[in-house]
Amino acid sequence: DTEVTQTPKHLVMGMTNKKSLKCEQHMGHRAMYWYKQKAKKPPELMFVYSYEKLSINESVPSRFSPECPNSSLLNLHLHALQPEDSALYLCASSQAATTYEQYFGPGTRLTVT
Amino acid sequence: QQQVKQSPQSLIVQKGGIPIINCAYENTAFDYFPWYQQFPGKGPALLIAIRPDVSEKKEGRFTISFNKSAKQFSLHIMDSQPGDSATYFCAASMAGNQFYFGTGTSLTVIP
């Protein structure tokens, strides 16, 4: 099973709202990632968690706050977003941060109004 | 600076044709080169990957050709089908920690 699940599938939020994106994997992977993807562009790395600790933060604004409660679960908390933050948010996992095969989830389509 | 350059931006082929997508890189420390296939509204799916110690890898109808001296690699899709219509991203990684993606190629296979 190489499945990464993400909820919700779609999310519309106002600029003053607080919402969270959820990602789950049951492959025993110890590295999890958040990417942001704009239309017709490649994914851009936001955060990397390795063994439940944040190992990479690609200078992401503080209105995005990641959390890794356990090795299977990854959250992305959203607060005071801007319309330009509208994008497809992708979660991925790999066996470890130093292994190569990354498996992506289907993404959450976020619209900020 | 774009770490991985991908071309063409879009490609249209007839069913049964062999589309070829090319990528080039500069950093010789890269040691893993995957290709991802992405359908609209879906996440990228790992298609095939190669390491620089081999020059070619085949998986079903998909083949990666790798030229280490030229720092180029390409994806060939044999006997292409309309269901192969998608966006394809090449990528490069060193030590698996961060992937540098190409800009993507939108492939359309006409029945």
Side-chain angles (χ1 to χ4, degrees), chain A residues 39-87:
Chain A
K40 300 188 186 300
K41 297 290 186 183
E44 297 174 36
L45 183 66
M46 299 175 72
F47 302 104
V48 180
Y49 271 85
S50 178
Y51 291 87
E52 300 153 51
K53 291 191 181 340
L54 184 65
S55 62
I56 293 178
N57 176 341
E58 290 289 335
S59 303
V60 179
S62 60
R63 57 185 184 268
F64 295 91
S65 175
E67 178 195 19
C68 189
N70 59 58
S71 60
S72 300
L73 193 57
L74 186 66
N75 298 320
L76 186 63
H77 303 296
L78 314 172
H79 173 57
L81 295 192
Q82 304 297 310
E84 59 265 28
D85 296 323
S86 299

Side-chain angles (χ1 to χ4, degrees), chain A residues 1-5 23-33 49-52 68 70-73 92-99 101 103:
Chain A
D1 182 12
T2 56
E3 189 178 28
V4 176
T5 59
C23 172
E24 203 161 2
Q25 57 87 14
H26 295 287
M27 296 178 277
H29 289 176
R30 303 312 300 268
M32 297 184 76
Y33 311 79
Y49 271 85
S50 178
Y51 291 87
E52 300 153 51
C68 189
N70 59 58
S71 60
S72 300
L73 193 57
S93 72
S94 63
Q95 191 169 358
T98 54
T99 58
E101 285 81 15
Y103 297 93

